[in-house]
Each structure stands twice: as structure tokens, then as C-alpha cells.
């Protein structure tokens, strides 16, 4: 507002109960204070929008992590069920030989491994129920009838995305932008305080004395006052806030540097995970090439050892792919944000927009 202060005064020069003097004093607002307040308000609104976007972005990140965890657990569940079926086949094979040829040691060993697998499966079922509980807090239709996502983004696609993203120089970090925005808001607040300390530039006052003269021209008068800024009583407070602002700038710069270093570290670990995934794939291919003769000509103990080794590699593959997808979502979140227009499904193989 252009009016900083408006005062209405009444009085009497004599000591009695009557009132014959009326004064109306108006103190204007300086253009500098109006401009400072306007810029502060506009930036505060923008920062609130940024905070809202960051909150939505964090909610999306949490949901992505839940989906990745659920998909991993469902894939492990299928793998364990396959392992149990194979163990049942081996147990039935041993039992069908008869008591004379039955190798009790092999039978106990396989049943022991199957017990461990069943315990793991039960733990997986519990973890699935827990994840579905958290998903159900947002989606009431969540049930236990889930299967692994068929069109989930594959590792080669993630690798291609990373190569394209690293070639782009412009990257946006919502946390970094919010830190800069908060620092700028502190600067604008200091500008408002500075403008307020110089807001008292003077006043315009109109007077009405009902006891003076007979015509209105004798009764009405006006005064104009101008402040002479010899001293500024707000200067010590402004100096303290200026020092605090310098401290905030140093903290903000340190935080931004820390975020950049964390992003560089995460990118390096991301690349190492991709290399590990390739090593696992190579070991799986090598394990498949170990079979040089038909299974019918191999001993069951050899088949069990080979199958257990292959299942172990497949479990390592699932674990590595889960970690890669988590790092991928974290990378997208830290470089450009998960929230956009439209909102893309970064776990889909074709990056389709989210429709619901």
C-alpha cells in the first residue's frame, strides 16, 4: 500500500472537556519498500510452489521404490517356487529307486535345502504382504493377486538412458533449486527490512481548529514534514541480519556442493552396478555352456549341483537388476525430477505418460 501510516488526533489547547482541534496525519510508503515487498511476496509464492512440487516428487519416488521392491519380490517368489519344484522332482526320483538303492544322505541333503527354500519363500510372502500394505494405503484396490511387471524397463534401456542423460549439460536438481530459492528469499527479506528502516520519509498533515475565525479558510491548515536521515536506529539490526545472511550463503553453498558430490558418487556406483550386471549375465551364459551331454546321461547329483548354481546366479541377477532400477530412479530424481508435464512412467519400457 502507498499509505504507511494514518493517524487521527483530537485535542484542545485549554484544559477542559471540549474538543476543538482535529488533525489527520498521513505518512506515505516509499517506492523502494513497495517494490521490496512485492518482490518478496512473488518469490515466496514461487518457493511455496517449489516446495509443493518437491513434496509430490518425493511421494512419486517412494511409490517407485515400492513398485521396484514388489516386482523384485514377485520375481524371487517365482524363482523359489521353481527351485522347490525341482527339489520335489529330485526327491521323488530318489524315493522311486527303492530302499536298497536309496541314498539317504542325498535325500536328507536335498530335503534340508528344500526346507531352507521354503523358509525363504515364507519370508518373501511376508515381505510381499508388507509392501502391498503400504501400496494399499494409497490404492485401496491393492490385492495379493500380483504378478511381475511384464513391461518393466530393461537394463539395456536404462543404460541407454544414462548415456543420453550424461551427454546433456543442463541438469536440474529440485533440492538444489529449493536451497537457492530459500537463500534468495532471505536476501529479499533483508531488502524489505532495509527499505522499512528508511520508510519514515515524512508526513502530510491537515488541521482543523473550530475556534479559529469565522470562515473555513481560517479554521483549516496543513503541515508537511520531511525526515532528515542523520541516523538510522535500525542499522545495528540490519548489520546483524547481514552477517546471518552471509552465514546462510556459506551453508547453502556447502549443501549444494555436498549434493553435487553425492550425485557424482551415485553416478559412479550406478555405472559399477551396470558392469556387475554384465558380469552376472556372462556367468549365467557360462553356466549354461557347462552342460556338454544330455541330462539323461548325467548323474542326479551333478544335475542338482548345476541347477543350484544356475538358480544362485539368477537370484544374483534379480538382486542386481533391482539395485540398478533403484539407482536409475534416484538418478532421474536427482538430475531432472520425477514430476513433469506430463508425468512419465519411468519404469515402463516405453516411458509412457501416467494416465491415472
Amino acid at each position: 500500500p502507498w499509505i504507511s501510516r494514518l493517524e487521527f488526533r483530537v485535542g484542545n489547547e485549554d484544559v477542559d472537556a471540549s474538543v476543538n482541534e482535529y488533525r489527520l496525519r498521513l505518512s506515505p510508503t516509499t517506492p523502494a519498500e513497495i517494490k521490496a515487498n512485492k518482490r518478496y511476496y512473488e518469490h515466496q509464492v514461487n518457493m511455496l510452489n517449489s516446495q509443493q512440487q518437491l513434496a509430490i516428487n518425493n511421494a512419486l519416488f517412494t511409490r517407485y521404490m515400492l513398485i521396484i521392491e514388489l516386482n523384485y519380490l514377485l520375481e524371487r517368489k517365482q524363482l523359489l517356487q521353481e527351485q522347490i519344484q525341482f527339489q520335489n522332482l529330485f526327491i521323488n526320483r530318489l524315493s522311486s529307486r527303492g530302499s536298497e538303492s536309496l541314498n539317504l544322505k542325498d535325500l536328507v541333503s536335498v530335503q534340508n535345502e528344500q526346507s531352507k527354500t521354503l523358509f525363504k519363500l515364507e519370508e518373501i510372502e511376508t515381505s510381499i504382504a508388507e509392501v502391498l500394505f503400504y501400496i494399499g494405503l494409497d490404492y485401496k484396490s491393492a490385492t495379493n493377486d500380483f504378478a511381475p511387471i511384464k513391461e518393466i524397463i530393461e537394463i539395456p534401456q536404462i543404460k541407454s538412458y544414462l548415456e543420453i542423460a550424461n551427454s546433456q549439460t543442463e541438469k536440474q536438481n529440485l533440492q538444489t533449486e529449493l536451497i537457492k530459492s530459500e537463500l534468495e528469499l532471505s536476501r529479499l527479506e533483508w531488502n524489505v527490512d532495509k527499505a522499512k528502516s528508511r520508510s519514515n520519509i515524512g508526513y502530510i498533515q491537515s488541521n482543523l481548529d473550530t475556534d479559529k475565525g469565522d470562515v473555513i479558510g481560517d479554521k483549516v491548515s496543513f503541515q508537511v514534514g520531511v525526515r532528515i536521515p542523520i541516523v538510522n536506529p535500525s542499522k545495528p539490526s540490519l548489520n546483524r541480519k547481514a552477517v546471518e545472511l552471509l552465514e546462510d550463503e556459506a551453508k547453502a553453498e556447502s549443501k549444494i556442493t555436498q549434493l553435487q558430490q553425492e550425485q557424482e558418487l551415485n553416478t559412479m556406483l550406478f555405472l559399477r552396478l551396470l558392469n556387475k550386471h554384465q558380469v552376472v549375465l556372462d556367468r549365467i551364459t557360462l553356466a549354461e555352456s557347462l552342460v556338454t551331454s544330455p541330462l539323461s546321461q548325467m548323474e542326479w547329483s551333478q544335475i542338482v549341483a548345476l541347477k543350484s548354481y544356475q538358480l544362485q546366479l539368477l537370484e544374483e541377477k534379480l538382486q542386481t537388476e533391482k539395485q540398478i532400477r533403484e539407482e536409475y530412479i534416484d538418478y532421474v530424481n536427482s538430475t531432472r525430477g520425477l514430476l513433469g508435464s506430463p508425468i512419465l512412467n519411468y519404469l515402463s519400457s516405453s516411458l509412457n505418460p501416467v494416465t491415472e
Side-chain angles (χ1 to χ4, degrees):
W2 284 97
I3 299 177
S4 173
R5 180 181 300 174
L6 183 64
E7 300 179 18
F8 179 68
R9 304 179 181 183
V10 296
N12 193 326
E13 294 182 354
D14 301 325
V15 184
D16 55 38
S18 62
V19 176
N20 64 338
E21 293 183 358
Y22 302 89
R23 300 175 183 178
L24 184 65
R25 175 176 292 190
L26 183 149
S27 299
T29 304
T30 62
E33 185 179 0
I34 294 175
K35 184 178 180 180
N37 277 301
K38 182 179 179 181
R39 293 183 61 188
Y40 178 82
Y41 172 77
E42 292 175 350
H43 191 80
Q44 188 177 38
V45 171
N46 292 333
M47 194 185 73
L48 290 175
N49 291 332
S50 299
Q51 290 176 339
Q52 184 183 29
Q53 289 183 349
L54 183 61
I56 297 175
N57 194 81
N58 291 338
L60 285 173
F61 179 81
T62 301
R63 293 182 183 182
Y64 273 119
M65 293 297 109
L66 287 173
I67 295 300
I68 293 173
E69 180 70 17
L70 178 62
N71 186 73
Y72 164 72
L73 292 173
L74 292 173
E75 289 179 333
R76 275 204 66 193
K77 177 181 176 181
Q78 285 187 349
L79 193 63
L80 290 174
Q81 288 174 338
E82 179 183 346
Q83 187 174 358
I84 292 172
Q85 290 177 357
F86 177 78
Q87 290 167 343
N88 285 332
L89 180 64
F90 181 65
I91 292 172
N92 294 333
R93 177 73 177 181
L94 289 176
S95 301
S96 64
R97 293 181 178 181
S99 59
E100 296 181 358
S101 60
L102 179 63
N103 190 328
L104 184 60
K105 180 179 179 181
D106 291 342
L107 182 60
V108 172
S109 176
V110 174
Q111 287 188 344
N112 180 47
E113 290 299 322
Q114 188 181 59
S115 297
K116 294 179 181 179
T117 306
L118 288 170
F119 296 152
K120 288 182 181 179
L121 182 60
E122 185 59 31
E123 291 175 359
I124 293 295
E125 293 282 9
T126 302
S127 298
I128 291 175
E130 182 181 1
V131 174
L132 289 176
F133 171 79
Y134 288 112
I135 293 177
L137 295 178
D138 294 320
Y139 302 98
K140 301 301 181 182
S141 60
T143 63
N144 293 329
D145 188 17
F146 270 87
I149 303 173
K150 295 182 179 180
E151 297 183 356
I152 195 168
I153 188 169
E154 298 295 339
I155 306 306
Q157 291 177 282
I158 294 177
K159 188 175 181 180
S160 299
Y161 177 89
L162 182 63
E163 292 174 352
I164 296 174
N166 284 336
S167 64
Q168 299 174 351
T169 56
E170 293 185 2
K171 298 179 181 179
Q172 182 182 8
N173 188 305
L174 292 179
Q175 291 185 352
T176 300
E177 296 299 321
L178 184 59
I179 291 173
K180 293 179 180 179
S181 181
E182 291 175 346
L183 181 60
E184 181 62 21
L185 188 68
S186 297
R187 292 195 186 104
L188 293 176
E189 184 179 6
W190 184 84
N191 290 336
V192 170
D193 293 336
K194 182 180 179 182
K196 282 184 177 181
S197 68
R198 302 173 180 175
S199 62
N200 186 16
I201 59 175
Y203 65 90
I204 301 174
Q205 178 176 306
S206 63
N207 304 320
L208 175 63
D209 192 339
T210 58
D211 290 345
K212 285 188 177 181
D214 297 328
V215 296
I216 191 66
D218 296 333
K219 300 177 181 293
V220 177
S221 63
F222 74 92
Q223 295 177 351
V224 176
V226 178
R227 177 191 174 192
I228 301 176
I230 299 177
V231 294
N232 186 353
S234 301
K235 191 173 182 178
S237 177
L238 289 173
N239 290 338
R240 287 192 296 269
K241 291 184 178 180
V243 173
E244 293 175 358
L245 184 58
L246 291 175
E247 294 177 353
D248 292 341
E249 290 176 353
K251 292 179 181 179
E253 187 66 28
S254 175
K255 185 63 175 177
I256 291 174
T257 301
Q258 181 181 354
L259 289 173
Q260 292 173 346
Q261 292 174 347
E262 290 177 355
Q263 183 174 327
E264 293 176 1
L265 177 61
N266 291 337
T267 303
M268 182 192 69
L269 296 177
F270 194 3
L271 293 172
R272 299 307 306 172
L273 277 174
L274 291 172
N275 293 338
K276 178 184 176 182
H277 182 261
Q278 186 59 49
V279 172
V280 174
L281 293 181
D282 293 340
R283 300 306 298 179
I284 291 176
T285 303
L286 180 60
E288 293 173 351
S289 66
L290 293 176
V291 182
T292 57
S293 58
L295 294 178
S296 59
Q297 300 179 7
M298 297 175 60
E299 295 183 3
W300 270 95
S301 59
Q302 295 176 335
I303 298 175
V304 170
L306 177 61
K307 189 66 175 178
S308 298
Y309 177 54
Q310 290 175 337
L311 290 174
Q312 180 182 352
L313 290 175
L314 289 175
E315 187 170 347
E316 185 67 30
K317 174 176 174 287
L318 294 180
Q319 177 69 28
T320 305
E321 289 179 349
K322 174 202 171 188
Q323 294 174 345
I324 290 175
R325 291 189 178 105
E326 288 176 340
E327 290 296 328
Y328 158 67
I329 292 298
D330 184 68
Y331 179 83
V332 175
N333 183 45
S334 61
T335 54
R336 59 176 296 174
L338 301 171
L339 185 63
S341 181
I343 299 177
L344 300 179
N345 182 3
Y346 286 100
L347 283 181
S348 66
S349 56
S350 55
L351 299 183
N352 295 324
V354 177
T355 57
E356 296 182 0

